[in-house]
Amino acid sequence: MVGALLAGLALSISLARSGLAVTVIERAMEKRNGGTGLRLWGGMGESVQRRDGSGPRVPTIASIASAGVPGPEGWATVLRRLSAAAADEPGISIHYEIEVAQIGQDADSAWATDTTGTVHAADILLGADGHRSLVRRSVDPEHPDATYAGYAIWTGKAPYDAAPGWQEGYNYMNMITLPNGDGAMIVGETQTNDEPRRYFWQWYDPTSDDYLREAGAVVGKVSRYSLVNENIAGSKYDDIRRRAAHWPAPWDDIVRHSVERHNVIATPIAEYVPRRLARGRIAIIGDAAHVPSPMTGAGFDTGLGDAETLGELTSHGVIGEQGRKVLRAYEKQRLRTAQRMVRSGQGFGQNLLEGTNN
Ligand SMILES: Cc1cc2nc3c(=O)[nH]c(=O)nc-3n(C[C@H](O)[C@H](O)[C@H](O)COP(=O)(O)OP(=O)(O)OC[C@H]3O[C@@H](n4cnc5c(N)ncnc54)[C@H](O)[C@@H]3O)c2cc1C
């Protein structure tokens, strides 16, 4: 596998539960901060028997991610839970700080060559390498790139006492359309029972295109990277603070808390509607396979579905022709779901941009 973040960790656990030996290559360091909040749809604490039949029942992967409490949750909390579960699986070996540079396959195997020239070969190769996926280039070389959707999402988090205007019972992923063509805002409250509760906010902003291009975060139709904390210009923070001052409480308080600390992530939104998910012995999952607007609140959840499906299918083995057969079946089962999920967010983006132009 390539990529060990949310979808990659979920997939590695799912494959190991089917008895596969899983090697994961990840270019980043093991310890990571970042992200703000996610809406988790499932995971009420259900348990299942491992597909390889070994050991006692184990929580479903959705229940690992949610710790049994679905709803808004901190991104770093979900990452920590999945990392701990993957570390407990003896069949998973994760190699951090190694970047994959090339992918290949022949009739019998698939391989990833890293930047030092080392070749890692396996029966199948799965890309969980995110919205700018390298593995996707091998799966659909004519349709390799996610496309910039024309707007940004600014996100941050704030402690529980940052918003005195917040009312009990008004606390569950509320969205408002902002005044002055400023876009839309969602504020959620994490449900976590193992860390202090806090707010996270997501501001869908259709007016920052010029700034994102100046900062190099968008080039042409490609969303290249997010801008994080001090990488966002002071003048842009001033602009956000000025605009947030016109919003009703508690939205203004929550945003101001993050802005004053320069603790904000700006992500140019990309979208990718897949035409295929697999080719031969290689397949893609998570944001490598489908990149929706975060407004769908479904990117991670769909990645979990991909991981569960691949785990189920690979429980019958992946050696020889079986590897190709499994990945063909995966594409057949998941392609429509992935396409529908991304398309469901595209209407929101168009409305957002039209609202600015009117
Ligand atoms: C603001 C925001 C809010 C969201 N809210 C929700 C929500 O409420 N609910 C929901 O379900 N989803 C939500 N999502 C979507 C969700 O966050 C993503 O779908 C999910 O995090 C994608 O995980 P991933 O593992 O597929 O990709 P990524 O997180 O991009 O991970 C890819 C990994 O691959 C590694 N990698 C890449 N290339 C290489 C290489 N060549 N060699 C080695 N390693 C490589 C990277 O270092 C990275 O670790 C949201 C997204 C955003 C931006």
Side-chain angles (χ1 to χ4, degrees):
M1 286 180 47
V2 186
L5 258 184
L6 299 187
L9 290 166
L11 177 60
S12 67
I13 297 165
S14 188
L15 298 176
R17 287 179 172 183
S18 290
L20 267 63
V22 186
T23 302
V24 193
I25 301 170
E26 166 58 58
R27 69 178 167 206
M29 294 188 302
E30 180 171 3
K31 296 279 173 240
R32 285 204 258 185
N33 288 319
T36 53
L38 285 176
R39 171 83 165 83
L40 303 173
W41 294 98
M44 304 280 289
E46 305 87 348
S47 67
V48 284
Q49 188 61 48
R50 293 171 62 93
R51 293 183 208 94
D52 61 7
S54 68
R57 289 176 73 83
V58 283
T60 59
I61 300 173
S63 287
I64 294 173
S66 68
V69 188
E73 187 52 283
W75 182 92
T77 306
V78 176
L79 177 62
R80 185 170 46 71
R81 290 172 183 159
L82 290 173
S83 298
D88 279 349
E89 282 287 347
I92 301 175
S93 153
I94 306 182
H95 303 272
Y96 289 96
E97 298 181 63
I98 297 179
E99 179 164 6
V100 171
Q102 268 186 330
I103 303 291
Q105 63 174 315
D106 61 18
D108 304 313
S109 69
W111 57 87
T113 308
D114 69 34
T115 49
T116 70
T118 304
V119 178
H120 309 260
D123 296 300
I124 56 173
L125 186 147
L126 304 173
D129 52 341
H131 81 280
R132 299 195 68 204
S133 172
L134 175 76
V135 180
R136 192 196 290 141
R137 294 176 184 279
S138 295
V139 169
D140 195 348
E142 283 86 44
H143 181 46
D145 292 319
T147 310
Y148 171 54
Y151 62 98
I153 180 169
W154 301 83
T155 58
K157 46 196 173 190
Y160 209 52
D161 58 6
W166 195 261
Q167 295 161 22
E168 278 299 326
Y170 183 60
N171 63 358
Y172 207 77
M173 295 293 275
N174 290 282
M175 183 174 115
I176 53 166
T177 303
L178 297 168
N180 313 322
D182 256 348
M185 169 79 88
I186 287 180
V187 173
E189 191 184 330
T190 61
Q191 301 277 88
T192 190
N193 46 16
D194 49 4
E195 282 179 8
R197 290 172 78 174
R198 55 177 180 258
Y199 304 110
F200 60 87
W201 55 272
Q202 304 176 341
W203 171 21
Y204 293 82
D205 175 18
T207 70
S208 290
D209 186 62
D210 290 346
Y211 172 68
L212 295 170
R213 290 179 185 281
E214 267 166 40
V218 173
V219 173
K221 290 185 166 180
V222 178
S223 159
R224 294 178 66 219
Y225 46 74
S226 297
L227 299 169
V228 180
N229 300 345
E230 295 305 332
N231 292 334
I232 298 170
S235 54
K236 193 64 196 172
Y237 276 116
D238 292 343
D239 175 49
I240 298 175
R241 188 187 291 116
R242 185 182 50 73
R243 290 160 71 190
H246 302 299
W247 303 343
W251 319 90
D252 55 344
D253 292 325
I254 292 172
V255 172
R256 195 177 309 118
H257 187 278
S258 309
V259 168
E260 281 169 0
R261 287 156 185 77
H262 286 199
N263 194 2
V264 172
I265 303 173
T267 304
I269 297 305
E271 289 168 339
Y272 183 78
V273 182
R275 300 188 312 192
R276 41 192 318 168
L277 299 177
R279 183 182 292 266
R281 301 187 165 279
I282 301 179
I284 44 182
I285 90 150
D287 279 13
H290 36 71
V291 188
S293 166
M295 178 50 76
T296 61
F300 171 63
D301 197 55
T302 308
L304 275 187
D306 301 339
E308 290 285 16
T309 302
L310 270 168
E312 193 61 49
L313 291 166
T314 55
S315 63
H316 306 296
V318 294
I319 296 171
E321 182 52 28
Q322 179 70 9
R324 279 201 285 254
K325 196 173 147 198
V326 159
L327 299 189
R328 271 198 305 275
Y330 162 68
E331 178 175 275
K332 197 161 174 221
Q333 285 192 29
R334 296 298 297 172
L335 185 59
R336 281 250 175 92
T337 303
Q339 291 171 333
R340 263 201 302 263
M341 188 265 300
V342 180
R343 287 188 181 127
S344 72
Q346 288 181 320
F348 164 79
Q350 277 153 16
N351 287 340
L352 192 73
L353 292 167
E354 282 163 16
T356 316
N357 295 335
N358 289 338

